[in-house]
Amino acid sequence: MTRRSKKLSKKEQDEIFEEMSPSRHQPKSTGVSSINIDVKYKTENQKNFAKLIKDNEITIAAGYAGTGKTFLSCVEALKLLKTGRYNKICLIKSVTELKGEGIGYLKGTLAEKMFPYMFSFKMNLYKIIGKELTEFLEANGMIEILPLAFIRGINIDDSIVIVDEAQNISLDNMKTIMTRIGTNSKMIIVGDSKQIDLVKKKESSLEIVLEKFKDKESFGTIRFEKTDQVRNPLINLIEESFDEMENN
């Protein structure tokens, strides 16, 4: 995996902004199209997930922690952004907090309020293209944070939309999100049904939409298994141990 760490020159910044501005639709050999995204798929399901994103308008993925769902969603979204066919990446995530771990009222701008909830997105983007380029793309409107509470009534055109922590989104809200997809856009919905933080777990929409849209045209669905876990091997042991405690 390659990380970009050197400072962007003024010329590079101008090239990136010019290429990815909404008025431009053809990729060039300079600027963003030349940024190296060197990520290798580690399992067959990861490779299949990438293909589903490429081939479908909406892709839904569920599975265990540590399988790379969010990371790969960011990778594929950046690859699509590089083509010049899309104007931006939109990030949507439920602000449901861990049980008993609320952080209370947050001061500041909307972006500042959303930062704690979107940090997982930022960390993945930093790993892929580096902090400076991530912040540059965000500052120029090519990475956009969309609070779930404010998306009703809009259509998201010319964008790649990533919906993370989908297990914490109710069915009504998931309907609202999915019907926001506009012209020339893709949507990637990911989550882990074993990490539901909703008060009423049955309200979670992830498993419902995964099954409902399976094999439907323009939709891709995939389930990641324990064998797809690529982070610390202890994650598998931890998951199994907690499963045993919950079942006893």
Side-chain angles (χ1 to χ4, degrees):
M1 181 168 56
T2 299
R3 170 185 281 181
R4 185 184 181 98
S5 57
K6 76 180 186 69
K7 293 287 186 182
L8 294 174
S9 67
K10 180 65 166 59
K11 180 180 179 182
E12 286 176 312
Q13 292 185 11
D14 290 342
E15 287 175 342
I16 290 169
F17 183 71
E18 178 187 2
E19 180 180 338
M20 299 189 69
S21 87
S23 63
R24 302 297 298 264
H25 297 285
Q26 297 299 322
K28 294 168 61 178
S29 59
T30 58
V32 168
S33 63
S34 65
I35 293 172
N36 184 27
I37 301 176
D38 184 18
V39 175
K40 305 249 185 330
Y41 308 116
K42 296 184 178 180
T43 72
E44 198 63 29
N45 262 348
Q46 287 191 347
K47 188 184 300 183
N48 292 338
F49 182 43
K51 188 175 188 309
L52 287 173
I53 293 170
K54 181 180 178 181
D55 294 345
N56 295 281
E57 290 186 62
I58 298 179
T59 302
I60 307 169
Y64 289 87
T67 54
K69 301 180 298 296
T70 304
F71 179 78
L72 288 173
S73 297
C74 292
V75 167
E76 299 309 317
L78 286 165
K79 286 180 180 179
L80 289 167
L81 195 63
K82 282 180 58 175
T83 66
R85 296 195 298 269
Y86 304 91
N87 294 336
K88 61 186 176 182
I89 298 171
C90 298
L91 308 176
I92 299 176
K93 186 176 183 179
S94 169
V95 296
T96 303
E97 297 169 337
L98 292 173
K99 298 170 187 175
E101 298 295 334
I103 57 178
Y105 174 76
L106 295 175
K107 296 181 180 180
T109 65
L110 179 59
E112 290 169 339
K113 291 175 188 289
M114 292 298 295
F115 180 79
Y117 303 104
M118 296 294 175
F119 191 65
S120 60
F121 275 129
K122 294 288 186 71
M123 288 301 293
N124 281 303
L125 291 167
Y126 292 169
K127 288 179 182 178
I128 302 162
I129 59 173
K131 182 177 180 179
E132 185 182 8
L133 183 51
T134 298
E135 292 178 350
F136 175 79
L137 295 178
E138 186 176 6
N140 286 283
M142 289 166 271
I143 294 176
E144 182 176 27
I145 293 170
L146 290 178
L148 180 53
F150 300 152
I151 67 168
R152 190 183 297 277
I154 65 172
N155 290 320
I156 306 173
D157 299 320
D158 304 309
S159 304
I160 309 107
V161 182
I162 304 176
V163 184
D164 198 14
E165 303 287 353
Q167 76 276 4
N168 289 325
I169 299 174
S170 68
L171 197 58
D172 284 346
N173 286 341
M174 182 60 77
K175 178 183 177 182
T176 299
I177 293 170
M178 294 177 72
T179 53
R180 298 310 94 200
I181 189 168
T183 304
N184 186 43
S185 286
K186 286 181 181 285
M187 185 174 288
I188 309 165
I189 301 170
V190 298
D192 178 2
S193 296
K194 297 177 73 62
Q195 297 189 19
I196 298 173
D197 297 312
L198 296 171
V199 175
K200 297 180 180 178
K201 292 183 181 291
K202 291 183 179 179
E203 292 183 352
S204 174
S205 62
L206 180 58
E207 292 294 328
I208 296 172
V209 295
L210 186 73
E211 293 301 319
K212 188 66 177 178
F213 293 99
K214 185 178 181 180
D215 299 325
K216 290 191 182 295
E217 186 177 356
S218 299
F219 285 83
T221 60
I222 189 168
R223 186 181 298 279
F224 286 90
E225 306 296 342
K226 288 184 180 180
T227 53
D228 295 306
Q229 288 177 323
V230 294
R231 294 207 311 240
N232 194 317
L234 280 176
I235 293 175
N236 196 0
L237 175 62
I238 293 167
E239 291 268 11
E240 290 177 350
S241 298
F242 275 92
D243 285 347
E244 289 175 4
M245 286 189 283
E246 291 172 3
N247 294 329
N248 289 336

